[in-house]
Amino acid sequence: MIYNDKLEMVNFEYLKDLNEAQKEAVLHVEGPLLIVAGAGSGKTKVLTSRIAHLIKEKKAFPNQILSVTFTNKAAKEMQSRVSSMLKTEATGLSWLGTFHSICAKLLRKHATAAGLNSNFTIIDQDDQARLIKNICKSENIDIKALAPKYILSIIDRWKNKGFYPDKVIINKKDIYEKTILPLYKIYQQKLLDLNACDFGDLILHCVNILEKHSDINNIYSNNFKYILVDEYQDTNFIQSKWLKLLAKKHQNICCVGDDDQSIYSWRGAEIKNFLEFDQVYKNSKVIRLEKNYRSSQNILSVASHLIANNQNRVGKTLETTKEEGDLVKLNCFKNGKDEAIGVADEIEKKLKKKYSLNNIAILVRAIFQTREFEEHFLKIGLPYRILGGIKFYERAEIKDCVAYLRLIYQNKDDLAFGRIINNPKRSIGESTIKKINEYSKKNGINLEISSRKLIELNLIKPKTKIGLNSFLNLMQKWRNDLGIKKMNHVKLLQTVLDESGYSAMLKNKKDFENENRLENIKELLSAMKEFDNLESFLEHVALATSIDQDWAGEKVNLMTMHGSKGLEFDVVFLPGWEEGLFPHQKSIEEKGQNGLEEERRLAYVGITRAKKIALISFSMNRFYQGDWIDSMASRFLEELPEKNLEKNTFFDEKDKNEEDFDFNQDFETENEIRSPGWLRYQKRIK
């Protein structure tokens, strides 16, 4: 028998497949409720069943239920599930959607209170960037030094914290905020003049209206008898404040999430919203969903044991409905290349026979790590896809580097010429490029010769002529470096990046994306060392990019751990568990203990994507930035429970003494052959 809060027997179809904790979460409808939903615990089923129950029990009409998600996909899935449960009774769920879609709806109704008309425009990221560029131009701000995307990221951060320009308190440690604040003021005024707002404004304006207009606040806080929030651990300050204002009257707010999966602090998420729920909403109840329907017990035990090392968490103990399953594999490899080969061999020789490639995933900490896997997969013909990213040799910065090398190698490569002639900026505009192309076509010559002829004929504007001449002279100098001076092709690219200004462009431009671009270029330099000369490398790139990678049928999935959240696979590989890479050095340097705990939560997310098999690996040596480095095993490996692990032969206890391997090794080396990691490996395999 199932009972509600009033101890009355209820018997609804949608409750039959729920476990006891899930039923409790559905039936507890009065007062604030925090549902701590562990990975794979069926939180979406609970949320949708709860909505169905509220409507079926006539606790509220559909339009009196506010249900908030982070993605349109999640909102559509919830709508579909509730409709399936209740048929036509769910048609009135007009307040089920994302934070932004619901706030846009509210703002349309009360636009005048925010200084807007109801037909205001919501501008996208491209429009935002154009507007900021125009403002920077008028204010004499160099966008080469301070990228519009970075300016907008700071403005967005202020909006996430609830700050209009007049409320911003400048962080004195950030040298850029003092410059950005006046731009923020102009930006907001421009938006008002245009009768427009950006995505950050949608929530910020709504909160401002609800705070300043008690009559409007009363309308919605009275109407929304029940509020449900998905992925509450990912909310930022302004989102949590908006929810609190709307829950003021009835206090029937139900937030679902998992503090152990809070991995988005870099985009404004504040885990304290989750941890301090009971302080914000008095007399709240906490229900833990600890039964996992996804992973085997060994996988859960490893993940739970690891995350238990975090201090800032609500805490829960996951149990599975599945069998104990295979032990989690821990593999050590000689180097990163061997790691890619080892993963491919495992897929080809063992896993492929039993599992669909679509159900196999490789989760990396940083996107540059995909390169070695892509290289080897292409070599052996193992089909793959990059989820949430671009394949290595198709990334813009890599194509730029290759274009420079192609043009140096042969001056007739007009495609390469067109890509890099004004990259980085050399005051060579579209009209000049058009003129070069027209002269080339008319005279049957390549673009480089065409450029030289136009300079000779004095048909190029003086300012443009300086930039074009400089580019052409550098190109000739690099050809001499390669041909006459016999410069190594790796050194050549390093020289090109320095002398062209490309490296400086990425380093000096304050833009979050540039850090990844620099990492990718460093990985490219590492890749080039595997080839004897420039010719063989360019041939490799041409073949790699010309191969039809859209094989029909199944593909192995490559993605970052951040991108894997919410997904699940039969088999999950987790390579590169080495200090500095994972946990990532930058995260620890910038955020200290909080950064380390978020990295550990990321590890937890990665492990719990696996349903049946999880394989963790690290390399003793890694070719990084053109040099061999001796890697240190990730500190997270020490936190994994021995009884749930299966280690490869490197860890065989009968051949190992205490001095042979130490997770906390600290060595310096110049090359792979001399490295302690390599020596240990040789000793082990003899």
Side-chain angles (χ1 to χ4, degrees):
M1 291 184 182
I2 302 168
Y3 297 87
N4 62 16
D5 286 351
K6 296 179 180 179
L7 296 181
E8 300 169 336
M9 190 175 73
V10 293
N11 184 24
F12 297 125
E13 190 70 26
Y14 52 81
L15 296 176
K16 287 183 178 179
D17 295 329
L18 302 182
N19 63 44
E20 290 306 310
Q22 290 174 328
K23 289 171 186 174
E24 185 183 8
V26 170
L27 297 175
H28 184 89
V29 296
E30 302 301 327
L33 174 64
L34 180 68
I35 302 175
V36 184
S41 62
K43 66 178 178 67
T44 304
K45 181 185 280 189
V46 169
L47 277 174
T48 51
S49 298
R50 187 176 170 88
I51 295 172
H53 184 67
L54 291 170
I55 297 171
K56 201 77 176 176
E57 280 284 86
K58 296 184 169 46
K59 295 285 187 180
F61 292 110
N63 68 352
Q64 293 176 315
I65 300 172
L66 172 64
S67 188
V68 192
T69 68
F70 273 88
T71 65
N72 288 317
K73 182 183 176 183
K76 287 177 182 176
E77 185 179 356
M78 286 180 66
Q79 178 74 58
S80 175
R81 289 199 190 189
V82 176
S83 298
S84 176
M85 292 177 186
L86 297 182
K87 310 303 179 200
T88 58
E89 294 172 87
T91 55
L93 285 170
S94 53
W95 295 102
L96 192 162
T98 64
F99 279 97
H100 290 113
S101 67
I102 292 170
C103 283
K105 189 174 179 178
L106 288 171
L107 193 56
R108 294 277 180 207
K109 293 177 181 289
H110 309 284
T112 54
L116 297 165
N117 298 324
S118 60
N119 64 341
F120 63 82
T121 302
I122 304 170
I123 65 172
D124 60 20
Q125 291 181 340
D126 288 341
D127 289 333
Q128 286 180 272
R130 278 195 290 272
L131 182 55
I132 284 291
K133 282 179 183 177
N134 291 336
I135 293 170
C136 287
K137 188 176 180 179
S138 64
E139 297 298 309
N140 294 316
I141 301 294
D142 183 8
I143 61 173
K144 293 180 181 177
L146 197 58
K149 281 187 178 180
Y150 180 76
I151 296 170
L152 287 167
S153 71
I154 298 298
I155 291 173
D156 192 55
R157 188 176 77 195
W158 285 334
K159 290 184 178 184
N160 288 341
K161 292 185 178 295
F163 297 150
Y164 282 105
D166 60 331
K167 300 294 184 182
V168 171
I169 301 172
I170 291 175
N171 179 5
K172 293 180 180 179
K173 293 181 181 178
D174 193 319
I175 60 173
Y176 297 101
E177 287 195 5
K178 190 176 179 180
T179 303
I180 294 173
L181 181 55
L183 303 179
Y184 181 21
K185 292 177 181 176
I186 300 169
Y187 175 74
Q188 284 303 103
Q189 188 57 54
K190 288 282 187 184
L191 287 175
L192 289 174
D193 294 342
L194 294 167
N195 191 37
C197 63
D198 60 24
F199 282 98
D201 285 331
L202 293 174
I203 303 178
L204 183 63
H205 288 335
C206 277
V207 167
N208 189 51
I209 291 169
L210 293 173
E211 282 188 315
K212 290 186 175 180
H213 301 271
S214 57
D215 55 333
I216 298 175
N217 191 332
N218 289 334
I219 292 171
Y220 294 101
S221 62
N222 283 325
N223 180 72
F224 295 138
K225 290 185 176 181
Y226 294 93
I227 298 173
L228 296 90
V229 188
D230 192 15
E231 303 286 6
Y232 188 61
Q233 79 280 348
D234 293 334
T235 55
N236 57 36
F237 173 84
I238 198 70
Q239 290 165 338
S240 68
K241 191 173 184 178
W242 178 71
L243 291 167
K244 187 181 178 182
L245 287 165
L246 293 176
K248 180 180 75 172
K249 171 73 176 180
H250 300 286
Q251 292 288 297
N252 293 327
I253 181 168
C254 171
C255 294
V256 184
D258 185 3
D259 53 319
D260 291 335
Q261 297 188 65
S262 179
I263 58 174
Y264 296 127
S265 66
W266 49 276
R267 66 185 193 196
E270 296 192 8
I271 193 173
K272 71 175 185 179
N273 292 340
F274 196 96
L275 300 176
E276 298 175 0
F277 182 86
D278 60 339
Q279 299 174 36
V280 176
Y281 299 99
K282 304 301 180 185
N283 302 313
S284 60
K285 184 178 179 65
V286 177
I287 296 175
R288 290 171 170 81
L289 304 184
E290 297 178 311
K291 190 165 286 186
N292 176 283
Y293 293 91
R294 176 187 298 156
S295 307
S296 67
Q297 189 57 57
N298 276 315
I299 291 171
L300 285 187
S301 296
V302 168
S304 298
H305 203 275
L306 175 68
I307 201 63
N309 289 276
N310 273 5
Q311 296 178 2
N312 296 309
R313 60 191 296 260
V314 175
K316 60 185 173 300
T317 304
L318 291 182
E319 296 181 354
T320 186
T321 58
K322 309 290 184 181
E323 297 178 353
E324 191 172 85
D326 292 355
L327 295 170
V328 173
K329 290 185 178 182
L330 178 57
N331 293 328
C332 176
F333 293 97
K334 181 182 68 171
N335 55 46
K337 191 173 184 178
D338 275 10
E339 187 176 43
I341 293 171
V343 168
D345 283 351
E346 188 81 16
I347 295 171
E348 288 279 23
K349 295 176 182 179
K350 297 178 184 179
L351 299 172
K352 195 173 160 181
K353 300 171 185 175
K354 192 174 179 182
Y355 302 102
S356 161
L357 292 182
N358 289 334
N359 265 314
I360 299 175
I362 300 168
L363 311 183
V364 297
R365 174 60 181 86
I367 193 64
F368 78 85
Q369 289 175 262
T370 68
R371 198 272 304 175
E372 281 185 305
F373 293 98
E374 290 188 63
E375 294 269 17
H376 188 65
F377 289 1
L378 286 169
K379 185 178 179 181
I380 65 173
L382 182 62
Y384 71 92
R385 65 171 66 86
I386 303 286
L387 289 184
I390 303 169
K391 293 178 178 179
F392 185 80
Y393 286 111
E394 293 175 6
R395 294 166 195 169
E397 62 279 6
I398 302 302
K399 293 175 79 170
D400 290 343
C401 291
V402 172
Y404 269 104
L405 294 174
R406 280 170 45 188
L407 190 60
I408 292 168
Y409 186 67
Q410 68 109 347
N411 69 354
K412 295 181 179 179
D413 195 331
D414 284 353
L415 290 175
F417 184 95
R419 184 175 185 91
I420 61 173
I421 184 175
N422 199 40
N423 187 15
K425 301 292 184 185
R426 302 185 176 92
S427 301
I428 304 170
E430 289 298 321
S431 61
T432 301
I433 294 171
K434 185 180 178 183
K435 187 181 290 184
I436 294 170
N437 275 281
E438 288 175 347
Y439 192 88
S440 166
K441 189 177 179 180
K442 182 180 177 181
N443 294 279
I445 54 179
N446 64 57
L447 295 180
E448 185 172 330
I449 294 175
S450 174
S451 302
R452 295 186 186 280
K453 288 288 186 183
L454 288 170
I455 291 172
E456 289 173 13
L457 295 168
N458 207 27
L459 296 175
I460 302 291
K461 293 178 181 178
K463 186 180 178 181
T464 304
K465 185 178 179 180
I466 294 170
L468 187 56
N469 241 330
S470 173
F471 171 68
L472 295 171
N473 291 338
L474 278 171
M475 193 57 61
Q476 191 57 54
K477 186 261 183 188
W478 296 327
R479 287 183 186 130
N480 290 338
D481 288 341
L482 178 66
I484 299 172
K485 294 183 180 180
K486 306 295 181 184
M487 184 180 284
N488 174 277
H489 56 295
V490 180
K491 177 65 177 175
L492 176 66
L493 178 57
Q494 291 171 325
T495 303
V496 169
L497 291 169
D498 290 339
E499 294 180 352
S500 67
Y502 197 94
S503 289
M505 176 185 72
L506 294 182
K507 290 175 182 176
N508 299 334
K509 198 172 185 180
K510 195 64 179 174
D511 185 340
F512 292 131
E513 293 179 12
N514 282 347
E515 292 179 12
N516 284 333
R517 294 189 184 108
L518 286 166
E519 286 291 313
N520 286 333
I521 289 173
K522 290 170 184 176
E523 184 64 17
L524 177 66
L525 289 166
S526 295
M528 290 176 67
K529 278 205 170 183
E530 298 177 16
F531 299 88
D532 294 332
N533 51 49
L534 180 59
E535 182 180 9
S536 59
F537 170 71
L538 290 176
E539 185 177 318
H540 168 76
V541 174
L543 290 171
T545 53
S546 66
I547 292 173
D548 182 10
Q549 297 174 25
D550 294 321
W551 290 279
E554 301 177 352
K555 303 178 184 71
V556 176
N557 303 283
L558 274 77
M559 71 192 81
T560 63
M561 281 186 271
H562 280 102
S564 73
K565 189 170 175 290
L567 304 177
E568 61 181 34
F569 305 91
D570 286 337
V571 181
V572 170
F573 290 89
L574 297 154
W577 282 42
E578 299 141 26
E579 284 294 308
L581 183 54
F582 192 51
H584 203 282
Q585 190 63 32
K586 185 185 174 189
S587 186
I588 297 173
E589 287 176 353
E590 292 184 352
K591 303 174 187 173
Q593 184 63 26
N594 289 335
L596 177 60
E597 292 207 353
E598 181 157 340
E599 290 290 294
R600 192 177 282 112
R601 291 195 293 271
L602 189 57
Y604 174 85
V605 167
I607 295 168
T608 55
R609 298 312 93 195
K611 295 162 68 175
K612 297 177 181 179
I613 295 177
L615 305 97
I616 300 169
S617 61
F618 70 99
S619 300
M620 293 178 294
N621 304 277
R622 193 166 288 279
F623 201 53
Y624 184 65
Q625 300 186 30
D627 292 306
W628 284 103
I629 61 170
D630 188 52
S631 304
M632 290 175 60
S634 170
R635 70 190 73 185
F636 294 156
L637 298 182
E638 291 185 300
E639 300 172 359
L640 306 181
E642 292 276 339
K643 65 178 182 179
N644 303 109
L645 298 177
E646 176 190 337
K647 301 176 180 179
N648 69 354
T649 54
F650 177 85
F651 296 96
D652 192 344
E653 290 292 331
K654 65 183 180 183
D655 295 327
K656 170 176 173 279
N657 60 55
E658 289 300 319
E659 296 179 356
D660 211 13
F661 180 78
D662 179 8
F663 279 126
N664 294 312
Q665 56 187 289
D666 187 13
F667 297 110
E668 293 183 3
T669 184
E670 294 181 1
N671 59 64
E672 181 195 20
I673 304 303
R674 291 178 55 194
S675 80
W678 172 246
L679 295 174
R680 284 196 307 273
Y681 180 81
Q682 288 297 310
K683 184 178 177 181
R684 188 146 315 282
I685 62 175
K686 285 179 180 177

